[in-house]
């Protein structure tokens, strides 16, 4: 990460702004990723990302591509703020007198950041997936009625608040944290890969030993590191998405946990199913983290704080 000293509040603001801008740009692709990952053999509606987006626009309108975006835009601010600021915190904690971190320490810092972020990531993903996948279930009801159990799927898509109240009423806070283990298995390895790779790629573009890298180098480093980490952990993302999905068709499997999900996917769909939505996820994560890193490094955190009383 950047060597310049930025206050923690400024880091949180920069991380939040970075998340908002990034998510706004790539959310439709993320929706396609969720729907492609959730469809199982016998209930395939979409053949590709473009097919999914075209069918979504036709059946749900342009704004159908942004189902669940309100949840993401609300919670991505603390999620990205925690992720980026925590990585900086652990890097500074592990460094000695400003010396360059070893690869192992960079990975440990990434591990700490990934572990911290799941506090927000898990409930955010839980709600977002239900809202994103609602259109697929509705389309199944219309085009493939034999795959939907009558009465098992709501005829009207619930809102994020309705889902939250329902989960809290039925299962308590644990309902919002369904799939926590799978989220940890995805986000911790992602951060272990992403942050050291980004830091080293970004260092290659620095102007001199002490100068910061140009913004386009940070953008490209974020894109390359993000897409690499995204594809590497995609199998776990498929598992997490399947576990967190609440509504299913009559021909679709249900899962009791990570190991059950892995065995059923291997048995019914083969190993290639773990790569479902991989290119969509790469297309989401690459610009998301490229934009995030540029905004984070050159963000408005300190500028905003300067207007607050006492600054």
């Amino acid at each position: 990460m950047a060597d310049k000293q930025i206050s923690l509040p400024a880091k949180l603001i920069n991380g939040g702004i970075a998340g908002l801008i990034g998510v706004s740009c790539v959310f439709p692709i993320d929706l396609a990723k969720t729907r492609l990952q959730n469809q199982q053999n016998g209930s395939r509606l979409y053949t590709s990302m473009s097919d999914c987006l075209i069918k979504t626009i036709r059946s749900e309108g342009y704004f159908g591509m942004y189902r669940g975006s309100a949840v993401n835009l609300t919670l991505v601010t603390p999620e990205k703020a925690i992720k980026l600021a925590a990585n900086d915190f652990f890097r500074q904690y592990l460094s000695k007198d400003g010396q360059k971190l070893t690869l192992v320490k960079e990975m440990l810092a990434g591990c700490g950041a990934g572990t911290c972020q799941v506090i927000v990531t898990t409930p955010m993903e839980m709600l977002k997936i239900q809202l994103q996948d609602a259109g697929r279930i509705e389309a199944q009801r219309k085009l493939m009625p034999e795959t939907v159990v009558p009465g098992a799927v709501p005829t009207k898509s619930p809102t994020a608040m309705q889902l939250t109240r329902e989960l809290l009423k039925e299962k308590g806070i644990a309902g919002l944290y369904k799939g926590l283990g799978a989220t940890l298995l995805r986000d911790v390895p992602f951060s272990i890969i992403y942050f050291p790779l980004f830091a080293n790629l970004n260092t290659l573009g620095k102007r001199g030993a002490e100068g910061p890298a140009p913004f386009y180098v940070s953008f490209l480093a974020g894109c390359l590191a993000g897409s690499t980490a995204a594809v590497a952990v995609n199998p776990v993302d498929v598992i997490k998405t399947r576990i967190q999905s609440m509504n299913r068709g009559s021909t679709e499997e249900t899962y009791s946990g990570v190991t059950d999900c892995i065995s059923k996917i291997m048995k019914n769909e083969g190993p290639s199913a773990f790569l479902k939505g991989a290119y969509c996820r790469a297309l989401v994560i690459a610009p998301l983290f490229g934009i995030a890193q540029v905004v984070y490094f050159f963000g408005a955190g300190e500028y905003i704080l300067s207007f607050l009383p006492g600054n």
Side-chain angles (χ1 to χ4, degrees):
M1 301 302 287
D3 294 323
K4 59 184 179 180
Q5 295 298 310
I6 304 176
S7 65
L8 180 60
K11 289 177 182 178
L12 293 173
I13 292 171
N14 287 348
I17 294 171
L20 285 172
I21 295 174
V23 166
S24 299
C25 294
V26 300
F27 193 83
I29 305 174
D30 186 62
L31 178 135
K33 186 261 319 175
T34 297
R35 293 186 178 184
L36 288 170
Q37 287 182 339
N38 256 338
Q39 62 180 7
Q40 302 178 25
N41 291 345
S43 59
R44 291 174 60 87
L45 285 173
Y46 315 112
T47 58
S48 64
M49 178 186 73
S50 58
D51 180 57
C52 178
L53 292 176
I54 290 170
K55 288 179 178 177
T56 297
I57 293 173
R58 285 176 179 172
S59 62
E60 303 168 54
Y62 174 79
F63 291 105
M65 296 190 298
Y66 285 87
R67 279 196 178 197
S69 60
V71 172
N72 234 32
L73 290 171
T74 301
L75 295 180
V76 75
T77 301
E79 190 254 358
K80 283 290 177 287
I82 291 170
K83 186 187 191 82
L84 296 172
N87 181 67
D88 265 7
F89 170 80
F90 287 116
R91 287 179 69 88
Q92 291 173 10
Y93 180 78
L94 293 170
S95 65
K96 294 180 179 179
D97 301 323
Q99 294 180 354
K100 179 178 172 60
L101 290 176
T102 64
L103 179 60
V104 172
K105 288 185 176 181
E106 287 183 331
M107 293 172 72
L108 284 173
C111 177
T115 303
C116 290
Q117 78 171 82
V118 298
I119 297 170
V120 177
T121 304
T122 306
M124 178 183 75
E125 293 272 311
M126 181 68 187
L127 296 173
K128 183 195 73 171
I129 285 170
Q130 315 316 316
L131 297 170
Q132 285 183 328
D133 205 40
R136 181 184 71 89
I137 299 296
E138 288 174 9
Q140 271 188 237
R141 184 188 293 109
K142 295 175 183 177
L143 302 176
M144 307 168 68
E146 70 281 359
T147 66
V148 178
V149 179
V153 179
T155 56
K156 186 178 180 181
S157 299
T159 65
M161 286 303 297
Q162 288 172 336
L163 279 171
T164 303
R165 283 196 295 267
E166 180 184 334
L167 287 168
L168 289 174
K169 182 180 178 180
E170 294 181 0
K171 301 180 181 179
I173 193 68
L176 289 173
Y177 281 87
K178 182 181 179 182
L180 175 62
T183 306
L184 277 168
L185 288 174
R186 182 196 67 172
D187 288 350
V188 171
F190 178 94
S191 295
I192 288 173
I193 296 168
Y194 172 78
F195 283 111
L197 183 56
F198 169 78
N200 285 280
L201 289 172
N202 198 51
T203 300
L204 294 176
K206 281 189 174 182
R207 296 168 179 163
E210 299 298 327
F215 77 91
Y216 60 86
V217 171
S218 293
F219 175 76
L220 293 173
C223 288
L224 182 57
S227 58
T228 301
V231 173
V233 303
N234 193 78
V236 189
D237 190 55
V238 173
I239 294 166
K240 183 197 72 66
T241 301
R242 295 282 183 92
I243 289 174
Q244 289 186 320
S245 295
M246 295 166 60
N247 296 319
R248 302 185 186 282
S250 60
T251 61
E252 295 179 336
E253 291 281 1
T254 57
Y255 310 102
S256 60
V258 173
T259 54
D260 180 57
C261 185
I262 293 172
S263 62
K264 285 180 177 177
I265 290 175
M266 285 292 292
K267 179 182 177 181
N268 300 325
E269 302 172 65
S272 63
F274 291 106
L275 294 177
K276 282 185 176 181
Y279 67 96
C280 290
R281 183 162 163 75
L283 288 174
V284 168
I285 296 297
L288 175 60
F289 276 84
I291 293 167
Q293 290 294 357
V294 171
V295 175
Y296 184 66
F297 283 122
F298 309 104
E302 295 285 5
Y303 178 75
I304 293 172
L305 287 174
S306 69
F307 288 95
L308 298 179
N311 289 287

